[in-house]
Amino acid sequence: MKAAQGRPVALVVLFGLSLLNLSSEWPSNLARPAFVRALDDALPDSFKTARQLLFDQFQRHYPRTPTAQPVTIVEIDEETLASVGQWPWPRNRLAVLIDAIAAHKPLAIGLDIYMPEPDQTSPDKVADNLPKTAAALAAALRALPGHDAILAGSLHAAPTILGAAALDHATLTTSTDLRSAPILLHGADPLPRVQRYDFVLASLPQLQAAAHGQAMLSVALEQGVVRHIPLIMGLGEKLVPSLPLEMLRVATDSSAIEVFADTSGVQAVGVADVQVPTQPRGDIWLHFASIRSTLSRYVSARDILQGTVEPERLRDKLVLVGLTGAGVTDMRTTPLGELVPGIEIQAQVIETIFEGRFLLRPTWLKWAESAFIMGFGLLIIWYVPRKQSRFAVFIRAFPKGVTALGLFLHLLNLLCCFYIFIRFGLLVDAAAIFIILSAVMGCFLSPALLHLQEQTRTDTAAAQAQESARDAAGKAPGA
């Protein structure tokens, strides 16, 4: 059988593609050899893109359905801006909003807002711009409390958390440190494994000192899509929490955030009696709910300022405050293909932690996939070229049935991985299994089918020659 000629090529394809697949998602607990790094640099994202698109499709066909609503988003929307004034507001106006939210007794208030510079509308700043002839007015203005001081008072009086943005480069308003709650480590130091930054865009030190917590708002973008969210990050030489994690700490009145790690990286993070399994880099794959199922969590800041909001929308809730008005918000694309405000992603992280429904792709799963691919691939290489195997007989009898069989097996692979996603929340890479095993099978089927076609043509030509010879013999004289 001509398929046997494909064995050497199939072995090269199997081992080569398996190595390329492994290099695109190298386990963090192993040192990365130089040739693997060179391979990944030469062929970046070789399997990563297919893997991500597959996981996106899993979520699109089975989005998370929220079973609880612990979060309320107070949105500074277009209606609020139209009634209160354009953004940025004077800080005393923002203080009024925080006071109005706090009056309804939420568990915590997280602000998706950066305030790295002093409020230029504060009375003392206005006084600095007055002419010398208005000295009396300037003195009277300087006697008034500054807007930053007013906001600091509101932040201190309520269970507030200020958000900050991690940056890789310095600007006029960045710093290298963030006032944050203690991190209690269990196990190895995870700092070398987590996403690290050198600079942070945070609020004024006066505001940080007044708030009950500070946290990062950063999300991980891959080809413009948010798929996983870091719960713990590095800022310089210290660990800092994400906003959802810090809000849970403040809401439970915990003194510290716990991080459980080993030599491979972060295994879990914990607050109070809640423990969240993570990827080695301290992030989680987020199982997104459609924005259509979460719209009820949004409350306009205008309604709160006007006192028309229902108290139960805020009482005992984790409240996120952010901008959603057109032109003033950061919009993010989710795996569901939806464009949502960045603050919605923070809300979904909290919601996921409350529900305990996590997507997982542990290190052992990559090894299990690789073992399955190698085992099944070697089985194909050993079995398919055997002349008297049932598969060989099947190919000779039904050459076109090979395509149907291949499609059935790949569909079975996809359905099994999708079932594991639904049942256990595990992200199994069916794309790599499909690509590598298809390539291995192609090494045999192509020459075998070509040989079968040649043999069929030869047999047909021989039959036609015999038929012609019989016809000629029948027409001969004396026949």
Side-chain angles (χ1 to χ4, degrees):
M1 188 177 180
K2 291 287 185 181
Q5 298 176 0
R7 268 183 174 151
V9 177
L11 283 169
V12 171
V13 168
L14 176 62
F15 282 94
L17 290 182
S18 295
L19 181 60
L20 190 61
N21 176 41
L22 199 59
S23 70
S24 70
E25 196 181 25
W26 190 259
S28 59
N29 59 338
L30 289 181
R32 204 178 195 193
F35 76 93
V36 172
R37 188 180 299 109
L39 182 64
D40 193 36
D41 291 340
L43 297 168
D45 297 338
S46 51
F47 281 82
K48 185 177 181 181
T49 300
R51 184 186 308 123
Q52 290 173 337
L53 292 176
L54 173 72
F55 295 161
D56 290 353
Q57 289 302 315
F58 282 176
Q59 294 211 42
R60 291 187 184 192
H61 286 86
Y62 189 72
R64 182 175 57 84
T65 301
T67 58
Q69 195 174 89
V71 181
T72 294
I73 293 178
V74 174
E75 55 176 339
I76 302 174
D77 52 9
E78 293 185 51
E79 290 77 9
T80 303
L81 296 176
S83 98
V84 178
Q86 67 181 13
W87 188 264
W89 290 347
R91 303 268 164 82
N92 62 330
R93 189 173 297 165
L94 182 58
V96 171
L97 176 60
I98 292 173
D99 291 341
I101 295 171
H104 295 288
K105 306 299 182 183
L107 295 176
I109 305 172
L111 276 73
D112 186 3
I113 298 170
Y114 316 129
M115 295 170 282
E117 298 176 319
D119 185 353
Q120 296 303 312
T121 67
S122 199
D124 58 327
K125 299 298 182 182
V126 174
D128 292 340
N129 290 324
L130 292 177
K132 294 181 179 179
T133 55
L137 177 58
L141 287 172
R142 290 191 178 95
L144 295 174
H147 291 174
D148 290 318
I150 294 173
L151 178 58
S154 297
L155 292 173
H156 183 70
T160 54
I161 301 95
L162 291 174
L167 297 175
D168 291 318
H169 58 278
T171 67
L172 293 176
T173 54
T174 56
S175 60
T176 57
D177 197 11
L178 184 71
R179 186 192 298 265
S180 59
I183 302 291
L184 183 60
L185 291 178
H186 300 275
D189 183 7
L191 194 59
R193 302 290 186 189
V194 302
Q195 181 68 49
R196 297 176 67 178
Y197 300 91
D198 295 320
F199 305 97
V200 63
L201 181 64
S203 296
L204 294 170
Q206 177 185 12
L207 302 178
Q208 288 192 51
H212 292 247
Q214 271 73 225
M216 294 290 200
L217 285 163
S218 301
V219 298
L221 284 177
E222 295 173 317
Q223 299 174 333
V225 179
V226 178
R227 295 184 175 91
H228 43 95
I229 315 295
L231 295 185
I232 208 82
M233 287 159 275
L235 178 60
E237 295 302 317
K238 67 182 287 188
L239 290 171
V240 291
S242 65
L243 181 62
L245 210 57
E246 182 69 353
M247 288 186 69
L248 290 174
R249 185 193 69 80
V250 172
T252 57
D253 198 25
S254 300
S255 59
I257 291 170
E258 296 182 280
V259 174
F260 302 86
D262 56 23
T263 54
S264 65
V266 182
Q267 299 301 308
V269 296
V271 179
D273 59 349
V274 176
Q275 194 170 114
V276 183
T278 68
Q279 299 299 120
R281 289 171 61 85
D283 57 345
I284 59 170
W285 288 84
L286 190 59
H287 193 178
F288 280 90
S290 172
I291 186 68
R292 295 186 297 274
S293 66
T294 66
L295 289 177
S296 60
R297 74 162 113 249
Y298 286 81
V299 174
S300 175
R302 181 189 62 178
D303 296 339
I304 295 175
L305 291 171
Q306 293 177 352
T308 59
V309 68
E310 300 89 344
E312 60 272 13
R313 300 291 300 276
L314 302 173
R315 186 178 298 117
D316 295 331
K317 297 285 188 179
L318 295 166
V319 176
L320 287 165
V321 182
L323 300 160
T324 62
V328 293
T329 184
D330 62 323
M331 302 297 290
R332 305 292 185 182
T333 302
T334 73
L336 305 183
E338 298 176 335
L339 197 63
V340 304
I343 198 168
E344 167 68 20
I345 293 173
Q346 305 295 335
Q348 295 219 20
V349 174
I350 297 173
E351 201 171 64
T352 297
I353 293 174
F354 259 75
E355 295 178 357
R357 297 164 61 191
F358 308 108
L359 295 183
L360 300 172
R361 185 158 172 77
T363 302
W364 64 262
L365 185 57
K366 186 67 179 180
W367 291 115
E369 292 168 359
S370 299
F372 175 80
I373 291 171
M374 291 298 299
F376 205 86
L378 291 173
L379 178 64
I380 291 173
I381 292 171
W382 169 77
Y383 181 74
V384 169
R386 298 176 68 209
K387 293 182 178 181
Q388 301 306 317
S389 69
R390 292 183 179 180
F391 187 78
V393 173
F394 176 78
I395 290 180
R396 287 194 294 268
F398 307 100
K400 293 184 179 180
V402 175
T403 302
L405 178 61
L407 289 175
F408 170 76
L409 291 176
H410 288 311
L411 180 60
L412 182 63
N413 162 48
L414 184 61
L415 290 177
C416 287
C417 293
F418 186 51
Y419 173 78
I420 293 172
F421 169 81
I422 294 173
R423 181 68 178 81
F424 303 103
L426 291 174
L427 295 167
V428 183
D429 187 5
I433 298 173
F434 168 79
I435 293 170
I436 296 174
L437 295 183
S438 293
V440 171
M441 282 297 296
C443 295
F444 297 118
L445 294 183
S446 296
L449 291 176
L450 286 174
H451 173 69
L452 194 59
Q453 290 176 354
E454 286 181 20
Q455 188 65 43
T456 301
R457 284 196 295 268
T458 301
D459 292 344
T460 301
Q464 290 175 346
Q466 290 177 357
E467 183 68 24
S468 298
R470 284 195 296 269
D471 291 345
K475 295 178 181 178

